[in-house]
Amino acid sequence: MKQWDWHNINILWILLFTSVSLGIWAYGKTSFAFFWYTPWLYLAQAAGIVAITNMSLTFVYTTRFKILGKFFGELQHVYRIHKLNSIIGTVFIVLHVSFFMIHSISYPTLFRYYLLPGSYWALDYGRISFLLFILLTGLSFSNRIPYHIWKMTHKFMGLAMLFAMLHVVTVTSDVKYNMLLRYWLIGLMSIGGLSCIYTLFLYRFWGPKKKYVVSKVQALNSDVTEIDMMPIGKPLKYDPAQFIFLSFLSSIVGKEVHPFSITTIEEDQKLQISFKVLGDYTKKLRHLEVGTEVDIWGPYGTFSEKYLLDNRDQVWIAGGIGVTPFLSILKHQNSHQLTSNKWFLYCTRSMEDAPYHQYLEKETENHDISYHHHQSNDQGFITIDYIRSQVPDFQNKVYMLSGPTLMMKLLQKDLHRSGVTFHHVIHEDFSLR
Ligand SMILES: Cc1cc2nc3c(=O)[nH]c(=O)nc-3n(C[C@H](O)[C@H](O)[C@H](O)COP(=O)(O)OP(=O)(O)OC[C@H]3O[C@@H](n4cnc5c(N)ncnc54)[C@H](O)[C@@H]3O)c2cc1C
């Protein structure tokens, strides 16, 4: 699927659901003659309907159902769609409340009625939901709070949704009298609510889960550590470079669930991840004990699709720990010689930060892949000129990027500017936020 497709499909998806909701609402109005007398009231109702439609849909994207990947591609894209839907939902919740306030300005009794809590239960549900959505969305966009706190606060979105549902179902409005609208919105909210329950409480048990046990923990340098795991029962089936969510059943690490790329291939019996210390969790993970059981959910991701399906020559660019998906892809080359030419640019700060340099040098030589180690401490950040100097006819290649977000963003921009087609540049994103 081309890179821009998921975005376009999502816009169509949002427009479709929003139009159906608004269409049913407008169809149920006997007349719009009063629109000119109370325009803000009409706008407030319409904004509320757009808000609840989008907020309901946003929970569906958190379920990690494989079917979502068929429509939108990478799980990271699905999370971005989730984010876009939440933004639209929150903006329209604010508009819904603002339009009602504007409408009631010239009627002091009505204004007090809308503003003050305790006057009417249905409005109180709405007030609680409004405050929760605003607070939680504000927190969601703060990059300052640590990830685990961010994730914990994010779970309360379900509560905000519950109050929104109570508000919609109990308030005296078109939703009460227009039965088609009522059932349509209750249907959407139920799907959203059930998705939320699945994500928060049931995914742990019903998600695509396998059990493994840690067989080896090996530090490669002061930052990077590899963990090998063996299956208990049926092993995981996966493509090269896919990623998994892991929860180690360990008192040292805790049961937090974190995503990591797989560095082995399905034919290996063991499953391996390689991680760099970043925060509290990865610091503790270095002290994991052999014999620890681990729950694994997945696999997810389509990063290797181009590698597997596209015969064009490829350039692989890895920055730091972003090398992990390529370790799996390289191992895949051993058993499945694919015909296209390949270039591998491994970018690290220095030789000390490059635990895979020697391994890659040897492996790429075995597979006739042109390998270059780029050290930013000596050579500065990797640039389009550097790529041009190493890769002949560089515009007509497929680019696979995995590394720090900023590095990938800049490279993507420069490659597009230099004439590389948009869908010939794909990247693996290590962020789901
Ligand atoms: C698809 C994918 C593949 C990844 N593959 C690798 C890999 O092969 N090797 C590697 O070293 N790192 C990988 N990561 C990143 C890894 O998940 C984070 O480095 C790790 O979770 C950091 O946790 P922390 O508590 O130590 O750091 P923190 O300082 O708490 O987190 C740093 C950042 O990591 C991300 N993160 C933290 N916890 C989670 C979580 N539970 N779920 C999702 N994202 C989280 C957030 O963006 C956060 O801002 C991958 C991430 C993703 C999304």
Side-chain angles (χ1 to χ4, degrees):
M1 189 172 282
K2 291 174 192 168
Q3 265 202 344
W4 45 266
D5 278 356
W6 66 270
H7 199 254
N8 286 359
I9 292 170
N10 181 47
I11 305 248
L12 284 178
W13 200 247
I14 290 175
L15 283 177
L16 175 74
F17 276 89
T18 306
S19 314
V20 172
S21 296
L22 285 175
I24 298 175
W25 167 71
Y27 180 72
K29 293 256 177 218
T30 43
S31 148
F32 271 81
F34 286 107
F35 179 81
W36 304 112
Y37 300 104
T38 55
W40 296 110
L41 182 63
Y42 279 71
L43 290 173
Q45 289 173 347
I49 284 163
V50 177
I52 198 68
T53 303
N54 278 278
M55 275 306 180
S56 301
L57 289 180
T58 200
F59 287 96
V60 178
Y61 300 121
T62 62
T63 54
R64 298 182 190 157
F65 283 142
K66 294 257 158 83
I67 181 98
L68 295 171
K70 298 238 180 300
F71 280 109
F72 304 113
E74 292 278 350
L75 189 67
Q76 291 93 324
H77 294 164
V78 177
Y79 277 103
R80 251 167 253 145
I81 294 166
H82 158 76
K83 199 168 168 178
L84 180 64
N85 264 110
S86 323
I87 295 171
I88 296 174
T90 310
V91 167
F92 277 89
I93 288 173
V94 173
L95 289 177
H96 173 64
V97 172
S98 310
F99 291 155
F100 265 122
M101 296 323 276
I102 298 172
H103 164 69
S104 63
I105 270 171
S106 34
Y107 314 98
T109 328
L110 193 60
F111 191 76
R112 273 199 302 278
Y113 178 67
Y114 283 150
L115 201 64
L116 298 178
S119 48
Y120 174 32
W121 268 108
L123 281 190
D124 287 337
Y125 294 140
R127 285 187 193 98
I128 297 171
S129 167
F130 171 74
L131 291 176
L132 279 174
F133 271 127
I134 298 300
L135 177 74
L136 297 172
T137 311
L139 284 175
S140 297
F141 285 95
S142 162
N143 284 326
R144 293 213 184 123
I145 53 172
Y147 188 87
H148 60 280
I149 297 183
W150 175 87
K151 203 171 166 192
M152 197 258 290
T153 58
H154 213 62
K155 289 181 179 166
F156 285 94
M157 282 285 185
L159 194 63
M161 184 66 195
L162 178 68
F163 279 107
M165 287 167 79
L166 288 172
H167 170 66
V168 173
V169 177
T170 55
V171 77
T172 306
S173 71
D174 287 2
V175 186
K176 191 165 183 178
Y177 304 112
N178 177 342
M179 283 303 140
L180 188 56
L181 181 65
R182 186 172 183 81
Y183 292 130
W184 167 254
L185 288 185
I186 287 179
L188 281 183
M189 291 186 300
S190 305
I191 291 171
L194 289 174
S195 300
C196 180
I197 291 171
Y198 175 80
T199 307
L200 288 181
F201 306 110
L202 302 178
Y203 177 81
R204 247 180 189 275
F205 309 104
W206 292 358
K209 184 163 106 171
K210 289 274 182 292
K211 261 211 180 299
Y212 274 70
V213 62
V214 174
S215 56
K216 191 172 161 192
V217 180
Q218 187 185 11
L220 301 187
N221 63 18
S222 56
D223 268 348
V224 178
T225 302
E226 286 179 344
I227 298 177
D228 292 359
M229 292 155 283
M230 297 302 282
I232 305 175
K234 274 194 179 168
L236 186 76
K237 288 192 172 308
Y238 59 94
D239 282 335
Q242 286 201 285
F243 65 89
I244 43 178
F245 290 88
L246 301 101
S247 167
F248 293 96
L249 312 182
S250 150
S251 53
I252 302 172
V253 180
K255 288 187 187 166
E256 264 179 53
V257 181
H258 284 247
F260 290 98
S261 302
I262 305 171
T263 59
T264 39
I265 50 169
E266 200 182 293
E267 286 88 335
D268 293 346
Q269 233 218 320
K270 72 174 181 193
L271 186 74
Q272 188 188 65
I273 60 163
S274 171
F275 67 91
K276 182 178 167 172
V277 173
L278 202 66
D280 284 354
Y281 179 79
T282 38
K283 213 179 274 171
K284 285 186 275 182
L285 203 52
R286 304 202 91 190
H287 306 291
L288 194 69
E289 284 169 345
V290 169
T292 306
E293 284 192 15
V294 47
D295 286 333
I296 288 175
W297 292 266
Y300 296 100
T302 55
F303 184 57
S304 63
E305 225 169 50
K306 275 258 186 277
Y307 153 75
L308 292 171
L309 303 178
D310 202 319
N311 289 329
R312 244 174 295 253
D313 290 350
Q314 297 177 5
V315 183
W316 303 342
I317 304 182
I321 197 62
V323 71
T324 50
F326 294 113
L327 297 176
S328 163
I329 288 178
L330 256 182
K331 284 171 192 161
H332 186 264
Q333 291 263 305
N334 283 330
S335 44
H336 309 76
Q337 254 323 329
L338 301 177
T339 49
S340 58
N341 295 313
K342 312 220 166 49
W343 286 258
F344 193 152
L345 314 181
Y346 180 34
C347 312
T348 63
R349 262 183 306 221
S350 63
M351 193 55 91
E352 290 75 55
D353 291 319
Y356 289 105
H357 169 59
Q358 282 179 349
Y359 171 78
L360 292 177
E361 208 170 31
K362 194 164 137 251
E363 282 298 302
T364 48
E365 202 182 327
N366 290 343
H367 297 298
D368 228 4
I369 296 171
S370 174
Y371 172 74
H372 305 274
H373 181 210
H374 181 280
Q375 299 180 53
S376 62
N377 279 358
D378 298 338
Q379 297 166 275
F381 288 131
I382 183 168
T383 59
I384 197 76
D385 289 333
Y386 178 80
I387 297 173
R388 192 182 279 129
S389 70
Q390 303 299 341
V391 182
D393 190 22
F394 83 103
Q395 284 162 316
N396 294 312
K397 306 281 184 276
V398 167
Y399 286 81
M400 293 174 64
L401 317 176
S402 173
T405 310
L406 184 64
M407 175 187 129
M408 291 196 294
K409 264 193 186 152
L410 293 177
L411 278 181
Q412 263 177 316
K413 211 156 112 194
D414 284 352
L415 285 166
H416 297 325
R417 270 203 202 124
S418 312
V420 180
T421 322
F422 199 81
H423 58 270
H424 284 166
V425 183
I426 53 165
H427 69 279
E428 181 64 319
D429 203 339
F430 277 9
S431 166
L432 296 179
R433 199 162 174 165

